[in-house]
Each structure stands twice: as structure tokens, then as C-alpha cells.
Amino acid sequence: MASILSDFKYHFKGAVTQEGDPEYSIKRWARNAERKAKFVVFPTDAQDVSRAILFARSQNLEIAIRGGGHSTSGASSTEGGLVIDMSKHMNKVRIDPEYKRAYVQGGAIFETLDRESIKHGLAGTAGTVNHTGFGGLTTGGGYGWLSGLHGLAVDNLVAATVVTANGDILKASDSENPDLFWGIRGGGVNFGPVTEFVFKLYDQRPDVFISTLVYPESLLPKVLDSVNDWLKVRHPRESAFLVYGLGPNAEPCVIFLFVFNGPEDEGREAIKNLVALGPIVNDGASVPYVEMNAMQNPRAYHGTNRLLKGILVPNLEPALMTRAWHGWKKIIAENPSASETIMMLELYHPDKILSVPIDAMAFVARVTSYSLMVSLTWSDDSLDARALSHELFRAIDVKGVGSYGNYDDVGAAIGGDRTRAMFGSNYDKLRIIKKKYDPEMVFHKWFPITPAP
Ligand SMILES: Cc1cc2nc3c(=O)[nH]c(=O)nc-3n(C[C@H](O)[C@H](O)[C@H](O)COP(=O)(O)OP(=O)(O)OC[C@H]3O[C@@H](n4cnc5c(N)ncnc54)[C@H](O)[C@@H]3O)c2cc1C
């Protein structure tokens, strides 16, 4: 091992670290997702990533790929294995304004894209919290505030560079390795780390209108009806989250988070009926584009225990959302250390997202664009959050129409039937691609695909 390790360190351009080294870090967005890796390596390019894969395989070390570090299951961490952490050196974004393309490294977060692209009056699709990584978000799907207009992150991917299990550095696009390109668009890390994504960009106005309306519990039925009325007429430029969380005086509240990619007066007009209900907080302002993806950052801070669990629902059903309200309230009442837990229904305009055929790529969850999701946050390490999330969804008694892998991040612990269910009708094709690029299941930390026989 010693000579193989020194050989690896000699050729690897970035840092190879072990516990005790100043650069060693296993930090993740969710504290509960951290695992003590034997090695954490910080590559500088695809060649380094390839070397790290070959070194880990030669030593029988489990490999975890870290992009933005936001998985709550530990899918980007490994106990005793080797982490390839692209967040340190492979985190850059280059814009080609002429062809409206963004070249995004595998460890970049989308704050960097927002900042760089808007300098050219352009924007790309990503998520809704700007410190999330492109790595997991894109390979898993990627819903964001611009999805109503432009689709998912994965719908806007035009090419990628992938390092496969045998260390090959491959281009993937419709014309190069199209099967690999099909697989990485929804198949997560199953085919290897993506070291560069190439995304389409769109013309973007410099300012957007955002609004936060906070209502007391007594207005819940009216808010649900009013949001349903809004859903019937809203434009793809309008997106919203219906959130259950604590209000300004730490009381359970219903929050309508609204984003309008247009001028303030039109944005205010679009939600005037919701404002007329009399929220206890009515904040609204035209803000620079980059602030749109930062507005949830205060809630979504790093370093505490977190678990995301979601299910796709076909519509906003008031009875279901009322059960969700009571289920969420019970959690925060009975678990004081989990009082920051929020429940939310994401409401993206569906037309653009659902216009892509289900078999166009691995991403399969195109029956609806509404995710009902709980973001459990807790400080008491002994709390069994996964059990709590299951109990919550049982109590809500919701029959989902699928699940979005990035919000049902079960990691490596549960494969088999869960993986088949997640990938649905695309699973058999994914198994064939897995056999070609990763027959030994080197990459198995997120909905691991069993290779075809
Ligand atoms: C605060 C917060 C907000 C979120 N908001 C949204 C949202 O608005 N829309 C949405 O769709 N999702 C959202 N998510 C879910 C998010 O998409 C997933 O958590 C995603 O996995 C995060 O990717 P990451 O690179 O930051 O995470 P990591 O923990 O680094 O990785 C997650 C998974 O992706 C793999 N991976 C990471 N980088 C790469 C890469 N370069 N190539 C291949 N595989 C890679 C990892 O191995 C792991 O399996 C949010 C999550 C959080 C915590």
C-alpha cells in the first residue's frame, strides 16, 4: 500500500488527505450525513478524478463523490473509504455568452452560475437555494425557480464529461456516448462523477419580484383555496412554495413564497387575491436576479441534522394539505429539538417540465411537477428522523404518483426494489447502461442500479 499511495500522491495534482491533515474535511450541509473517510482527495481536473478512482479501486476502498455536499443520506460520504471532493478546486463556471452556454465544473454550486451568467444578461436553470451543488442536483433532475419557463436542470444539459469506473474520461452528449448521456440525466452518480456540465442559458432580466406572505393557522382553508385559484391562471414565469413553518412569533404559520420573473407591478397583480386574505407578514420587493436563489438561505443554513423526504402529488388537494398541516404540527410539538422542521409543497408550472417524454432520458418523474416535501431539522442526535418522516407520510395518508430521487435520498442503504420503483419504466435500460460503464457497481451510493445480467 505504501508505495502505491506515494505513487498516487506523486501523480495527483490536488491534495490527498487523511484524518489529522489540516486540509482533511468531511463537512456536509447536513451534519448527520458526515462519515469518517479514510482518504479525502481534492482533485484539480478530470485526470486527477480518474487517478483517484483507480487508486481507490486498487485498494478496495469504497468511493464517494462530493459535489455541493447537500445529500442528507450520506450519499456523498463514506465510512472508511475515499471521498473525491470536487468542491474545493473544481468549482468554477465559465460562460460563453455568444452561444449562451455555461461550462460548470462538477463541484460548483449554483450561486457561481447565477453570479457569472447574469453579468451577460443570462441565466441557467438550477435549484432554489444557491449553495446547492450542480453535481447531485443535475444528475438527479433539478427543479428551480426557472423550471416553469425552461424545464429542469437536466433538460438543459447539452453535454458533460464523465469519469467512468475504469478511469476513462468520456464526453457524453447526443452525439458522443449517447447512452451515457441518457443515463447521467437522472441516473445520479451511478455512472461516475461528472467533472464538467455544459448547460443552455437564457436571456434573463436583471430583476425579479419575490414575495413572502405569512398567514396564521386560522386562514389555512382560505389560503389553500386561494392558491388553487392562482394555480388555474398562473403563468410559467410564476412559481411558488406553500410552506408550513414557524412564523415571526414562533407560532405555526402558513407561508406563501412567490417568485415572479417579471416586473414588480405584474407580480403584485398576480398575487393580489392572496394579499387580500390579510397575511400577518406581507413582504414583497423587486430584487436583483441573484437574490432570488438566496432568499431561502437563512433557513437552509449548514451544519445541523437534516433529512429531506418528499413525494410527488398530482395537485394541491386541500384535504391532503390539511392532514399535512396537522402531521407537521405534531412533529414540531412533540419534538422540541425539531421545531425548525418545515413542510412544503413546491408549485412549478408543469407544462414545460411535462413536455419532455419520459423515455427521453433517465429522469422519470414527469407525471406532475408538484413535490410535497418535509425538511426535517433537529439538534437532538438521538432522534430517529427517518422513522419520523415515515410516520408523517403515513399520517398524511398520501398516495403519491412517484418520487423525486433528490428529495427521497435513501442513499446506498436501500437498493433493489426502491431503485426499480424510483426509475420505473426507465430501469431496464439503466441496467444495460450500468453493465457497460460500471459492471462492478463501483458507484453505488445513491439508488444503486443493478447491472443487467
Ligand atoms: C438546502 C437544499 C435545497 C435544495 N433545493 C433543491 C431545489 O430547489 N431543487 C432540486 O431539484 N433539489 C434541491 N435540493 C436537493 C438537491 O438536489 C440534492 O440534495 C442534491 O443531491 C444536492 O447535490 P450536491 O452536489 O449538493 O450534493 P452531494 O452531497 O455532494 O451529492 C449528492 C449526490 O450526488 C452525487 N454527486 C455529487 N456531485 C456529483 C458529480 N459531479 N457527478 C456525479 N454525481 C455527483 C453524490 O455522489 C451523491 O450521490 C436541495 C437540497 C438542499 C439540502
Side-chain angles (χ1 to χ4, degrees):
M1 163 94 164
S3 68
I4 297 173
L5 177 59
S6 38
D7 188 55
F8 169 52
K9 283 183 171 170
Y10 179 77
H11 288 103
F12 192 83
K13 297 183 284 291
V16 176
T17 72
Q18 289 187 265
E19 200 181 355
D21 293 339
E23 276 191 71
Y24 176 89
S25 170
I26 51 169
K27 287 261 172 286
R28 296 293 181 270
W29 179 71
R31 181 152 54 91
N32 50 305
E34 294 172 1
R35 311 277 183 271
K36 206 167 265 182
K38 181 163 184 186
F39 294 99
V40 178
V41 305
F42 300 99
T44 58
D45 58 16
Q47 195 74 50
D48 268 358
V49 172
S50 169
R51 286 202 176 97
I53 290 171
L54 296 179
F55 168 73
R57 292 196 66 186
S58 74
Q59 302 305 306
N60 287 322
L61 292 166
E62 184 183 61
I63 297 174
I65 307 300
R66 187 216 202 263
H70 279 52
S71 158
T72 59
S73 72
S76 58
S77 302
T78 166
E79 188 71 47
L82 179 144
V83 174
I84 300 177
D85 183 338
M86 287 186 273
S87 68
K88 198 175 183 124
H89 304 301
M90 298 179 67
N91 56 14
K92 298 176 192 60
V93 171
R94 177 172 67 82
I95 306 296
D96 178 342
E98 191 184 343
Y99 289 97
K100 296 187 181 171
R101 293 287 185 265
Y103 294 79
V104 174
Q105 288 187 309
I109 59 172
F110 70 88
E111 181 187 5
T112 315
L113 173 76
D114 279 358
R115 218 181 37 233
E116 294 304 316
S117 60
I118 202 67
K119 288 178 189 164
H120 304 278
L122 298 169
T125 53
T128 58
V129 176
N130 70 11
H131 47 69
T132 315
F134 274 104
L137 181 120
T138 307
T139 56
Y143 293 89
W145 291 126
L146 300 184
S147 289
L149 283 172
H150 308 311
L152 306 178
V154 84
D155 299 336
N156 290 288
L157 188 66
V158 292
T161 306
V162 187
V163 187
T164 55
N166 60 8
D168 287 345
I169 300 169
L170 300 180
K171 297 283 181 202
S173 68
D174 280 335
S175 54
E176 285 181 279
N177 301 304
D179 53 352
L180 183 60
F181 189 50
W182 190 93
I184 59 165
R185 287 176 294 160
V189 72
N190 269 291
F191 304 101
V194 176
T195 54
E196 184 179 75
F197 299 94
V198 185
F199 290 105
K200 277 185 214 162
L201 297 176
Y202 299 90
D203 293 332
Q204 173 60 44
R205 52 182 293 121
D207 59 316
V208 298
F209 174 70
I210 61 174
S211 176
T212 303
L213 306 176
V214 182
Y215 303 90
E217 177 171 10
S218 58
L219 285 178
L220 176 66
K222 284 190 175 156
V223 173
L224 295 177
D225 286 348
S226 203
V227 174
N228 258 327
D229 290 342
W230 167 76
L231 284 171
K232 286 178 201 137
V233 296
R234 51 73 195 265
H235 185 275
R237 283 186 298 177
E238 300 168 41
S239 306
F241 287 176
L242 186 66
V243 183
Y244 298 160
L246 294 183
N249 300 314
E251 72 287 23
C253 281
V254 187
I255 302 162
F256 186 70
L257 218 58
F258 178 68
V259 166
F260 180 72
N261 194 6
E264 178 171 351
D265 54 342
E266 290 178 32
R268 289 194 184 278
E269 176 67 20
I271 53 168
K272 66 172 193 280
N273 293 340
L274 278 144
V275 171
L277 294 177
I280 50 177
V281 174
N282 174 8
D283 278 345
S286 184
V287 297
Y289 170 75
V290 290
E291 284 184 29
M292 176 179 86
N293 287 320
M295 72 173 165
Q296 294 189 89
N297 289 6
R299 261 186 213 279
Y301 60 90
H302 291 69
T304 188
N305 294 314
R306 309 273 196 170
L307 181 97
L308 304 185
K309 173 147 183 70
I311 193 160
L312 294 168
V313 294
N315 48 34
L316 191 170
E317 192 194 315
L320 185 148
M321 289 308 293
T322 306
R323 292 197 297 278
W325 170 264
H326 292 298
W328 164 75
K329 255 184 44 173
K330 185 166 180 281
I331 285 187
I332 58 163
E334 292 178 359
N335 303 280
S337 105
S339 64
E340 290 178 60
T341 294
I342 57 169
M343 180 117 214
M344 61 189 188
L345 182 64
E346 297 189 348
L347 300 164
Y348 299 111
H349 197 286
D351 290 359
K352 184 75 187 173
I353 297 167
L354 304 192
S355 69
V356 178
I358 282 177
D359 61 358
M361 59 184 81
F363 184 81
V364 76
R366 296 211 194 249
V367 273
T368 169
S369 59
Y370 301 167
S371 266
L372 177 65
M373 200 256 269
V374 64
S375 173
L376 275 151
T377 302
W378 70 100
S379 54
D380 173 0
D381 288 343
S382 66
L383 190 125
D384 185 347
R386 204 166 281 285
L388 214 55
S389 73
H390 289 308
E391 195 186 306
L392 171 67
F393 278 91
R394 259 197 312 275
I396 297 174
D397 190 21
V398 49
K399 300 268 174 293
V401 287
S403 79
Y404 171 39
N406 277 344
Y407 290 166
D408 193 17
D409 176 10
V410 294
I414 310 166
D417 289 349
R418 281 299 295 278
T419 302
R420 178 176 280 283
M422 219 279 285
F423 291 117
S425 54
N426 284 341
Y427 190 54
D428 289 340
K429 182 166 175 182
L430 280 164
R431 292 188 63 193
I432 294 167
I433 303 171
K434 182 77 171 174
K435 184 180 178 189
K436 180 170 170 189
Y437 292 102
D438 183 19
E440 291 172 47
M441 294 183 74
V442 170
F443 304 111
H444 58 251
K445 304 276 308 168
W446 186 86
F447 290 98
I449 295 167
T450 307

